[in-house]
Amino acid sequence: MEDQSKINTKRESTIGKMSREPREKSGPNSDAINGGTSDLRRNSVLVMQYSDVAPLGNLGEWLEINGFDFVEESKGELGAALDGGSFDAVVILGSEASVHDDHNWVSKDLSALQKCIAEQLPVFGICFGAQMIAVALGETVSRGPGSEFGWHDISSRCGDSWKGPWFEWHRDWISLKDESWIIAGTLNQVQAFKKDNTIGVQFHPEATSEIVEMWMEADDEGARRLGNFKEKLSIDNQKLMGGYKERSFGLYSSVFSTFERLNHNPSEKKK
């Protein structure tokens, strides 16, 4: 999500306010090696949340269910957080900002992100996060010929878990020099890509009904341009939000299972 200057800054999150310390969760991870079982430490994920209105949404729930410890940091703090802690992966969420905005925190976190990539630390970026990854990799992010708001059908090169429809809310587009990185896309745009230990998606699998409603209330551009945009989107939401969390959970499983350096053995699930 980006460029939403009218958004009410009241945070809407289905998982509540997160502690800056790793959450303790029930269920040890274990690893079966040659028929034996040994305890492994839990994976720890650093979450960069750049806006109160772009929270973890259902991704926070998936991380908890699957036994990940995670901590949250704000804009400009990626490098300091990595220097001060031990993390197995980084998640970069959405923002009202553009990667080309003249904000000190953008350039600061881009530099830290380039270090993550050089060190092969797994990074998963959503919307603005995907655009940050693209720029850190030397690719192009620019204002597109049109905005993508609402539900869009997306074609996948890598299995059903990447197929749309997915919910989108962005104006900047990603261009890649190497099309072999593309995981999923529409006719004109890259929608998901993977390069080494980084994965970015332009759409919002983490979105919940509450988050979508919040964005709709704040952004009038689509309504002004399309007239009945909000009415149509509300109807689409009713049809497509059912089962969205389950589809998103499948996507997250695909994302995190491809990352190296992670313990991929399932934790004991919550009852």
Side-chain angles (χ1 to χ4, degrees):
M1 185 190 63
E2 55 190 63
D3 197 22
Q4 306 294 309
S5 59
K6 295 184 180 180
I7 291 181
N8 184 334
T9 57
K10 180 180 178 182
R11 181 173 181 178
E12 301 284 346
S13 174
T14 60
I15 62 172
K17 184 175 179 60
M18 291 186 293
S19 168
R20 294 170 70 90
E21 296 299 324
R23 293 189 178 191
E24 296 295 330
K25 306 177 186 68
S26 62
N29 284 326
S30 62
D31 185 26
I33 303 175
N34 297 324
T37 300
S38 61
D39 289 338
L40 293 175
R41 69 177 180 81
R42 307 165 71 82
N43 289 307
S44 181
V45 178
L46 172 62
V47 177
M48 299 303 297
Q49 181 174 337
Y50 291 116
S51 171
D52 286 343
V53 295
L56 262 175
N58 63 44
L59 176 53
E61 184 179 351
W62 184 88
L63 290 171
E64 287 190 328
I65 290 172
N66 286 276
F68 287 87
D69 293 324
F70 58 96
V71 296
E72 176 189 18
E73 289 290 349
S74 58
K75 58 185 67 171
E77 298 300 323
L78 177 57
L82 291 171
D83 289 340
S86 178
F87 297 98
D88 300 292
V90 175
V91 171
I92 304 178
L93 299 174
S95 172
E96 300 97 324
S98 165
V99 292
H100 298 300
D101 285 349
D102 187 20
H103 299 312
N104 180 61
W105 63 267
V106 173
S107 57
K108 188 176 177 182
D109 279 359
L110 271 173
S111 295
L113 179 56
Q114 288 172 329
K115 183 178 178 181
C116 291
I117 293 171
E119 295 177 353
Q120 286 288 296
L121 183 66
V123 183
F124 176 41
I126 295 175
C127 197
F128 174 79
Q131 295 159 15
M132 287 278 282
I133 292 172
V135 171
L137 289 169
E139 302 302 310
T140 301
V141 174
S142 58
R143 185 54 54 94
S147 303
E148 289 194 317
F149 292 147
W151 297 90
H152 291 263
D153 287 322
I154 292 173
S155 299
S156 168
R157 297 180 177 181
C158 297
D160 290 345
S161 61
W162 298 91
K163 290 181 180 178
W166 292 105
F167 191 83
E168 306 203 58
W169 205 267
H170 64 93
R171 297 179 176 88
D172 285 353
W173 291 29
I174 294 171
S175 299
L176 302 176
K177 293 185 287 290
D178 188 343
E179 293 189 356
S180 69
W181 297 4
I182 299 173
I183 297 172
T186 51
L187 182 62
N188 298 314
Q189 192 187 166
V190 176
Q191 297 290 348
F193 65 92
K194 181 181 187 299
K195 169 61 175 173
D196 297 329
N197 241 17
T198 65
I199 293 178
V201 297
Q202 278 280 64
F203 49 88
H204 286 276
E206 86 288 6
T208 64
S209 296
E210 293 78 12
I211 291 172
V212 170
E213 288 294 329
M214 179 169 51
W215 295 347
M216 287 172 58
E217 285 299 314
D219 199 308
D220 292 328
E221 178 186 321
R224 291 196 303 270
R225 188 179 67 252
L226 301 177
N228 64 344
F229 172 76
K230 288 186 178 181
E231 291 78 6
K232 181 181 183 302
L233 187 52
S234 295
I235 294 172
D236 289 343
N237 291 343
Q238 292 177 10
K239 291 189 300 183
L240 297 172
M241 263 301 170
Y244 193 66
K245 182 172 75 171
E246 288 72 22
R247 291 181 52 228
S248 297
F249 280 17
L251 178 72
Y252 304 145
S253 295
S254 295
V255 169
F256 282 84
S257 68
T258 67
F259 284 147
E260 300 174 3
R261 296 175 56 173
L262 290 180
N263 165 30
H264 296 306
N265 295 281
S267 65
E268 179 181 322
K269 300 296 188 288
K270 294 182 178 181
K271 305 297 183 182

